[in-house]
C-alpha cells in the first residue's frame, strides 16, 4: 500500500509518492551493476527523472535509501530464484562441485591445463639444460641474454635478474629487473 508523500519543509521540493519512487528506482536500477552504484548516484538520477533540482532529495535520504534497498532485495531474490531454476535444469552429474578443478582429460586444446598435459613429457630436465639456448631480450637501451635454468620448484625455464639503468624525468635511475620464463609442464619432467 502506498503511503502519503512526506510533507516538504517550507521551500523544499515535494517528495513523490512511494509508488512513483518505486517505479523510478526500478527503472534506474534495471541492468545496472549494483556493486558500482552509490545511493548519491541513485538520488541524482531520481531527481532528474522526477524533474527536481540537483540535491532536492538530499533531505529525503532515508526514504530514498529505504525504497532503493527494498528494490535491490527484490532484484536479488528474483536473481536467486532464476539461478536456482537454471541450476536445477542442469543434470547433477554434469555440474562440478564448488571449487572443483576440471579434470585434465576433460580439457580441450587451448583450455587452461592443456599445455601442461601436452608438454609434461616433452623432455627431461637434463636434456633441457643441455640443449636449451639462451635468448636475447632488450630492456631500455640494454641487451641481455636470458639463460636456461632449473628452478628450486623443480620446473625448468629461463631466468634473468639484472640492474637496468633508465631515465626518469631527466634523471638516471636504476631498476632491478627480473625475467622468469617457466616452461609449462616442466615440473613433471623426469631428471634423466
Amino acid at each position: 500500500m502506498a503511503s502519503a508523500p512526506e510533507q516538504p519543509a517550507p521551500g523544499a521540493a515535494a517528495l513523490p509518492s512511494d509508488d512513483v519512487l518505486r517505479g523510478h528506482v526500478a527503472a534506474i536500477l534495471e541492468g545496472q551493476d549494483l556493486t558500482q552504484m552509490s545511493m548519491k548516484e541513485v538520488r541524482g538520477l531520481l531527481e532528474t527523472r522526477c524533474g527536481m533540482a540537483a540535491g532536492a532529495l538530499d533531505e529525503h535520504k532515508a526514504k530514498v535509501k529505504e525504497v532503493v534497498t527494498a528494490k535491490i532485495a527484490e532484484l536479488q531474490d528474483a536473481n536467486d530464484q532464476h539461478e536456482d531454476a537454471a541450476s536445477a535444469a542442469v543434470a547433477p552429474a554434469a555440474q562440478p562441485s564448488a571449487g572443483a578443478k576440471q579434470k585434465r582429460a576433460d580439457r580441450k586444446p587451448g583450455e587452461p591445463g592443456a599445455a601442461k598435459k601436452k608438454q609434461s613429457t616433452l623432455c627431461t630436465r637434463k636434456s633441457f639444460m643441455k640443449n636449451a639456448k639462451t635468448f636475447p631480450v632488450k630492456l631500455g637501451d640494454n641487451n641481455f641474454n636470458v639463460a636456461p635454468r632449473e628452478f628450486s620448484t623443480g620446473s625448468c625455464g629461463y631466468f634473468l635478474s639484472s640492474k637496468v639503468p633508465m631515465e626518469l624525468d631527466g634523471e638516471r635511475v636504476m631498476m632491478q629487473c627480473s625475467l622468469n620464463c617457466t616452461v609449462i609442464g616442466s615440473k613433471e619432467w623426469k631428471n634423466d
Side-chain angles (χ1 to χ4, degrees), residues 12-69:
L15 184 66
S17 70
D18 284 3
D19 288 338
V20 171
L21 283 176
R22 279 193 289 271
H24 286 307
V25 166
I28 290 168
L29 297 179
E30 185 67 33
Q32 295 292 324
D33 180 357
L34 301 179
T35 63
Q36 299 297 316
M37 238 179 158
S38 67
M39 284 291 176
K40 182 177 182 178
E41 186 178 359
V42 173
R43 272 195 320 275
L45 293 169
L46 195 53
E47 289 163 348
T48 301
R49 288 183 68 90
C50 293
M52 302 172 103
L57 291 176
D58 287 355
E59 63 189 59
H60 303 290
K61 287 180 182 180
K63 182 63 179 176
V64 172
K65 183 175 182 177
E66 174 188 321
V67 172
V68 171
T69 303

Side-chain angles (χ1 to χ4, degrees), residues 124-133 148:
T124 65
R125 287 185 186 91
K126 186 176 181 179
S127 68
F128 174 81
M129 292 305 295
K130 180 180 175 186
N131 299 315
K133 307 284 188 244

Side-chain angles (χ1 to χ4, degrees), residues 81-170:
Q81 290 173 358
H82 175 72
E83 287 177 0
D84 290 346
S87 66
V90 174
Q95 187 177 13
S97 62
K101 286 187 171 182
Q102 185 179 14
K103 292 180 183 166
R104 290 181 183 150
D106 298 338
R107 293 187 178 130
K108 295 172 184 66
E111 286 187 323
K116 181 177 180 180
K117 181 179 178 184
K118 180 181 175 187
Q119 296 178 174
S120 64
T121 58
L122 187 65
C123 66
T124 65
R125 287 185 186 91
K126 186 176 181 179
S127 68
F128 174 81
M129 292 305 295
K130 180 180 175 186
N131 299 315
K133 307 284 188 244
T134 62
F135 65 89
V137 294
K138 185 172 184 170
L139 295 173
D141 294 328
N142 300 291
N143 293 310
F144 297 94
N145 288 318
V146 184
R149 181 172 186 167
E150 185 176 343
F151 299 104
S152 62
T153 61
S155 298
C156 293
Y158 298 85
F159 181 78
L160 168 72
S161 181
S162 182
K163 289 186 174 32
V164 179
M166 294 294 284
E167 195 163 308
L168 177 67
D169 289 335

